Amino acid sequence: MQQTVTRVFVAKYSELPERIGQAVKVGEEEIALFRLTNGDVRAIENKSPHPKGGVLSEGLVSGEYVFCPLYDWKISLIDGNVQPPDEGKVKTYAVEVDGDDVYLLL
Amino acid sequence: MQKRKLVMIGNGMAGVRTIEELVKIAPDAFDITIFGKEPYPNYNRIQLSTILQGEMSFSDIIMNDWDWYESNHIQLYAGDQVVRVDTKEKIVYSESGRAVPYDELIFATGSLPLMLPIPGINKQGVIGFRDIHDCEMMMQAAKQYKKAAVIGAGLLGLEAASGLVHLGMDVHVVHLFGHIMEKQLDETAARLLQRELEAQGMNFLLEKETVEILGDDRVTGLRFKDGSEIAADFVVMAAGIVPNVKLAKESGLFVNRGIVVNDYLETSVPNVYAVGECAEHREIVYGLVAPLYEQAQVLAKRLVGMVEKGYEGSIVGTQLKVSGIDLFSAGEIYEAYETKAIKVHNELDGVYKKVLIRDGRIVGIVLYGDTSDSTRLFRMMQQKQDVSSLTDIAFLKEGGAKEEDVAMMADEELVCGCNGVTKGTIVQAIQQGASTVEQVGGCTNAGRSCGRCKPLIAKILEHTLGDAFAGQAQKETLCSCTDLNRDEVVAEIQAKGLTTVKEVMHVLGWKNEEGCSKCRPALNYYLGVIYPEYRDDRDSRLVNEKMHANIQKDGTYSVVPRMYGGVTTPEDLRRIADVAEKYRVPLVKLTGGQRIALFGIKKEDLPNVWADLGMLSGYAYGKTLRTVKTCVGATFCRYGTQDSMQLGIELEKRFERLDTPHKVKMGVSACPRNCAEAGVKDVGIVGVDGGWEIYVGGNGGTDLRAADLLCTVKTAEEVFEIVGAYLQYYRETAKYLERTSKWLERVGLSHVKEVVADEEKRTALNERLQRTLVRYEDPWRKVLEDEPLRQHYYTKRSIPVSVKED
Ligand code: SRM
Ligand SMILES: Cc1cc2nc3c(=O)[nH]c(=O)nc-3n(C[C@H](O)[C@H](O)[C@H](O)COP(=O)(O)OP(=O)(O)OC[C@H]3O[C@@H](n4cnc5c(N)ncnc54)[C@H](O)[C@@H]3O)c2cc1C
Ligand code: SF4
Ligand code: FES
């Protein structure tokens, strides 16, 4: 069995507020979308890698990082890596912006 | 065994240092009584000029507060001077009629300003510069008068003049000699200093001998020996000091210039000692604290019989505490036939350095413009080190080798000149656990006088602790995005007029362009305090304050509507019940803050829940006033003396929504049984017959702390005024996320008491608070009225499954 990449439309670029995470439910997956100050759009799984979990979409965004709103972990929006001294990784998704349409590549 | 009775006359710097040393080595040896003429606890006289220069307030310079005396069981009679001593019967008599017997007696009466014996010296508007009272007179004079003259351009005169310039007066400094500070500086250094002071706004009249003070009752001017005159409506005499020995003389002590003492500070009368500026040792009367503190140490040991080496005299170095000026001098100033000088004079940078050498040893130092070598040179001079082989001068060398300097300092090198503390002692204190400049001062006294050595202490900390200090330092700075601490950031914001979080980070060179979860909320808070009209940066707030609801571990939120003073109505209860049913709220609970919380609400439901409730936000999520807990009070309770519910409701209404450094909780009880637990609240009010007691700094959380009584007032109106001033002062001076309990311990209860008791300050604080309070509106209503806001923060998209598999 072979899996193909699927483009899923998730948002209008112009409707994405800068530096405020948006929670999107795609199928069964909860995804947090972020439009950064530099214009890029990033998508990660909306679940903190902290053992107690929690959402990430409400976190404070700084540059290419989000701070977990519950336990203050600093997480890269580029590769999903939790920054030291904490450890862990969240799932990241590829994003494609086509005109005003934002797609996730799943 | 009966304790011996120790009485001290004079509650100043040298005397109290003696007592500090004494209680350190023998806390229970004596019953101690101190008489102080001034109505204050011991304060740092050295810093009086910084008050004039606007850098500190009176409360900042208190060195031993009232609590210190009490906790060391010292009886202090402040504001009561000793007028007679009977050395036969061993009793001292005070002005107010006290008669206190002693076994041992210390004279620590300090000095008095030298008032020149010229006609007119007693006119109004002519003062010396010695104590808080003099400072107050200067500050008052500056409000009423314009023209000031300072007689004497020595240390004191220049510090006074600088203060008066700062206070807005036209200042003439009159000096008898051809150049200023002639006891400490040679002509070259003095000219550099004079030029700098002139640039700061001072005028100098050199080689002028004042012969008369003109005017009727009040001074109007000065006349000089050459016949010339100047106009002046305020005169500070700073021509010198004289040891305060009148009482000692009358008591039969042998007095020359000062009270004559031997190496153990013993006077000519048994069981009577003298220490400080009133004492004369080996024909020298000292006028700086460093030698006096050495005397204090010896005397303390002498009193408990730990006699080792006596006091053998000191070499002293001098600095001038005028902002923008760096100078140091010690020992001989003027070249003589047998001395050789090494001089560097860099006119470009206004730096002048001179070291005088006799027989291969340093005997004098004059540094102007750059005093970074002062401790090293001074140490070499004190130790009479042979410097014949060290005399080449590195010209045009690179700056910035400071860190290495600390590494290279010898252990016995002096760091704090005022307190005679060496590098070795400081390093030892650090190794025993001191990790901040304040803590080092706490156990070694270093840095507790003029404060000049603090930067060096910080460097030693940094060097000794290495990375551990870097970690420490991070705690002191706002966060790892910057090297600045709270005070520096606030000062920069004000000085540069920065108005947004972004601008602050940009202008102050933040290492992370968009900050982090520590500094963004903090900056947003500080800006809000500085500018009443500040527009809040919502995205710099953390989740709860951004959403106006408290996030829970599963990503849902809690909603807690306002219930002023814990008082509700059937209608409100009914509405809460309806909402709980409609949204299938998983948990309805009474909170510890006397109100009702709905837990487990989805983000996208928040606006609807708020709309259906039709109630105001209770801010259960905010760094702001949470609740005012009340007891039922006089309305129903048989013990109640006051209407506690009414006061609580009113307090909550007045101060709700206000941004504070951390959350603030209040409680109002109507009698001391205290059913509203006012004793563990940030602000707790307890009704008593005819008034209210106001308690502050309580905490029932992580670090339990009982509140302290701030004051007692008669009316509710006064409660609002005091609480308003207290809150605003907390807002303006606390670090972000510092609860009132911690803040109060840091700044000191007595200081806060003083601030809120000062009517002028209290009014100003309340005015600033009112200007801030008007900017708030209910955040839930705002969301309901603002469609884009709702879209931004309270939506969640759901995309139907569209993942295909082949
Ligand atoms: C709801 C409530 C517990 C309850 O079920 O009763 C509560 C709930 C929380 N408290 Fe509390 N505290 C509640 C009364 C208290 C009290 C008791 C009181 O106020 O009389 C205290 C001790 C008193 C005090 O603060 O001095 C209290 C001391 C704390 C502390 C420790 C504060 C401290 O300075 O040590 C925290 C942690 C913090 O603020 O950093 C905290 C933090 C929290 C947080 C906000 C934790 C968080 O960040 O998620 C909890 C939110 C739960 C939620 O999901 O909404 N809560 N909390 C109470 C709300 C009162 C209200 O109506 O506003
Ligand atoms: C403006 C200013 C700036 C200074 N700057 C420096 C500096 O930079 N560096 C430095 O080393 N030194 C400085 N000094 C000097 C330093 O303050 C003094 O050396 C030090 O305070 C002397 O301590 P003392 O205890 O001998 O006298 P004081 O601190 O003057 O204490 C004597 C106390 O005794 C009280 N007293 C007198 N008679 C009686 C009595 N009969 N009964 C009860 N109480 C009595 C007095 O009111 C006074 O409070 C400065 C002084 C002034 C005024
Ligand atoms: S604090 Fe006093 S007045 Fe208030 S309810 Fe308790 S007993 Fe009654
Ligand atoms: S040198 Fe004055 S306090 Fe240390």
Side-chain angles (χ1 to χ4, degrees), chain B residues 11 32-36 40-42 66 69 74-78:
Chain B
N11 186 37
I32 304 172
T33 303
I34 304 179
F35 283 91
Y40 310 99
N42 179 37
W66 303 107
Y69 292 87
I74 296 165
Q75 175 67 54
L76 169 64
Y77 296 118

Side-chain angles (χ1 to χ4, degrees), chain A residues 25 30 37 58 62-63 72, chain B residues 514-515 517-518 796-797 799:
Chain A
K25 196 159 184 183
E30 271 253 17
T37 313
E58 320 299 338
S62 165
D72 206 28
Chain B
E514 297 194 333
S517 55
K518 310 267 176 319
K796 182 161 175 184
R797 289 153 219 271
I799 315 266

Side-chain angles (χ1 to χ4, degrees), chain B residues 8-16 35-38 42-49 80-83 108-112 129-131 155-156 159 244 247 275-278 286-292 317 319-321 418 449-450:
Chain B
M8 188 166 79
I9 309 173
N11 186 37
M13 297 185 72
V16 175
F35 283 91
K37 188 167 152 189
E38 299 182 70
N42 179 37
Y43 62 89
N44 192 342
R45 198 172 302 288
I46 299 182
Q47 300 292 5
L48 286 176
S49 48
D80 191 10
Q81 65 171 319
V82 173
V83 290
T109 48
S111 315
L112 299 170
F129 182 23
R130 183 73 194 172
D131 53 28
L155 276 175
L156 280 187
E159 287 186 12
N244 183 3
L247 181 68
V275 69
E277 287 190 350
C278 63
Y286 293 96
L288 293 169
V289 292
L292 306 184
Q319 293 164 331
L320 179 69
K321 302 184 303 299
C418 286
S449 303
C450 73

Side-chain angles (χ1 to χ4, degrees), chain A residues 70, chain B residues 544 549-553 556-560 589-597 599 618-621 623 626-627 629 662-663 665 677 680-682 698-703 739 741:
Chain A
L70 288 151
Chain B
N544 290 354
N550 203 308
I551 197 166
Q552 288 147 8
K553 59 182 195 176
T556 63
Y557 290 84
S558 63
V559 167
V560 186
K589 181 181 182 298
L590 299 186
T591 72
Q594 287 191 340
R595 44 200 188 162
I596 296 176
F599 290 90
Y619 276 87
Y621 47 78
K623 307 283 174 251
R626 294 287 174 88
T627 66
K629 236 171 134 158
H662 205 312
K663 59 190 172 191
K665 297 174 179 183
E677 299 165 326
V680 287
K681 296 285 178 253
D682 297 273
N699 189 299
T702 322
D703 293 316
R739 209 61 200 262
S741 53

